[in-house]
Amino acid sequence: MTTRSGSATYEGFGKDGKGHVSTQSGILSDTQYGFNSRFEEGPGTNPEELIAAAHASCFTMALSFALAKEGYADGKLETTAKVTLDKDGDGFTITRSALDLKATIAGIDPAKFEEIAAGAKANCPVSKVLNAEITLTHSLNA
């Protein structure tokens, strides 16, 4: 099986700390993160943004493969994921990942599309790992 890695460092503590995150592929390399990029609008990334990108890309790829399996060969899928971080007692919990899909697929029956998209939402590996509400809204150009 495939194993991928990411790493993070954090120097200092709390709001004054500064972190850096990297990925095995090098696409992220010592990318800044911290309180300001997570809870305000400071420069850098944050865990929720990274989860949103992971969920959007995982779902979109799963849907692409599911459509190909059903015989569809051409089209375009654009997905945005919005991950919600809510206060939970003294901490926080990711409570929702809202997927918003814009799809262009010539000749697909809307009911068939709904079925395929729902399956991709339920079965993409990132959906399976999230312990949160996952919603999907979409617009389809058939």
Side-chain angles (χ1 to χ4, degrees):
M1 259 352 291
T2 301
T3 302
R4 302 284 185 230
S5 67
S7 62
T9 60
Y10 212 80
E11 296 179 29
F13 299 116
K15 289 182 180 182
D16 295 328
K18 303 275 186 253
H20 292 89
V21 60
S22 298
T23 58
Q24 176 182 337
S25 68
I27 201 70
L28 294 178
S29 180
D30 289 326
T31 301
Q32 179 180 332
Y33 80 102
F35 180 86
N36 289 338
S37 64
R38 191 170 196 185
F39 297 104
E40 297 173 352
E41 295 299 321
T45 191
N46 58 72
E48 292 72 34
E49 176 179 76
L50 297 172
I51 291 169
H55 199 197
S57 61
C58 182
F59 164 75
T60 305
M61 183 179 278
L63 180 55
S64 171
F65 275 76
L67 288 163
K69 184 178 178 183
E70 292 291 328
Y72 297 94
D74 192 34
K76 184 175 181 179
L77 306 172
E78 299 175 76
T79 307
T80 300
K82 292 183 179 177
V83 169
T84 302
L85 182 67
D86 282 325
K87 188 84 168 117
D88 185 12
D90 289 338
F92 295 89
T93 299
I94 292 173
T95 56
R96 179 181 177 126
S97 181
L99 297 168
D100 184 36
L101 168 67
K102 291 183 178 92
T104 302
I105 307 161
I108 193 167
D109 175 68
K112 183 66 174 175
F113 173 75
E114 293 261 352
E115 176 188 324
I116 296 169
K121 179 186 78 131
N123 292 305
C124 97
V126 174
S127 287
K128 290 179 179 181
V129 79
L130 293 175
N131 185 22
E133 176 188 10
I134 300 171
T135 63
L136 170 63
T137 59
H138 62 79
S139 62
L140 170 65
N141 294 321

